[in-house]
Amino acid sequence: MVIGLVFPKFCLGCGYLGLYVCPDCQKKLTVYDRTPCFYCGKDSHVGLTHDSCIEKLNIDGCLYLYHYNGFLKKIIKNVKYRLATEVLDDFLETVPYEALKKFYVFKRHFKKVVLQPIPLTWKKLNSRGFNQATLIANFFQKYLDIRQIDLLARVIDRAPQAQISSKKRRKKNVKDIFTVKSILREEKDTGVILVDDVVTTGATAASAARVLKACGVKKVFVFALAKG
């Protein structure tokens, strides 16, 4: 209560006192109701990659909660660059059931899966104090009852993908930035769900998937807060 008086919450959309995302501004958020193939963008069942699109080290499926519109971009920027984790916590509490339905359907198809947040480098994690992908993974873990793991490490810190417009340069920017800490035999038979805040070209997730699959993981999927 005292914290709320000293540091009051204001809606990021309209300035309404008491909430970071007020009920009226929640309407500005658009649920991503499609389930497209990660590669061709055409619809597929629960976002699974089409057989004609999949290759050996590819991502096997993807699901997104929201479209990455201007308001959601403002929310995520406040979280990442103003270190406002409470904003994300409050925002995730507003996610409607309709946005989660396809994730429940996915879980019925793939019972043996784990969540892997896309990691930050140690330097960036130490500077920021948190990983927004982990906070989002905590949300999925809470509602889908899927455990988290910590297999991946980000070993190279390069320019943020948001600062690079070219798809080709984005792919090059995330090449070889991940490594796998260790994988047990039983983990190779478990599907790994990569969790991130925003997927645009998908280069970061694809880079992480290639590393996991090269180490023997059979299925790699992507859950993201937003699709850009």
Side-chain angles (χ1 to χ4, degrees), residues 98-153:
E98 65 177 290
L100 285 169
K101 284 193 292 189
K102 59 193 175 187
F103 293 88
Y104 289 119
V105 174
F106 174 93
K107 189 186 174 185
R108 288 202 294 271
H109 282 275
F110 299 95
K111 293 183 171 60
K112 196 176 180 183
V113 290
V114 292
L115 300 169
Q116 168 65 62
I118 293 288
L120 300 175
T121 59
W122 179 87
K123 181 180 179 181
K124 184 166 285 186
L125 180 61
N126 192 50
S127 172
R128 188 177 294 175
F130 66 94
N131 179 1
Q132 70 279 359
T134 300
L135 301 180
I136 297 166
N138 291 343
F139 167 81
F140 283 120
Q141 182 177 24
K142 174 182 175 182
Y143 286 96
L144 301 178
D145 191 26
I146 301 175
R147 71 181 177 91
Q148 281 189 58
I149 56 170
D150 185 24
L151 292 181
L152 278 179

Side-chain angles (χ1 to χ4, degrees), residues 79-95:
V79 174
K80 292 169 73 170
Y81 303 118
R82 295 187 181 178
L83 311 182
T85 59
E86 192 179 357
V87 173
L88 185 58
D89 290 337
D90 283 10
F91 164 68
L92 290 173
E93 289 298 320
T94 71
V95 175

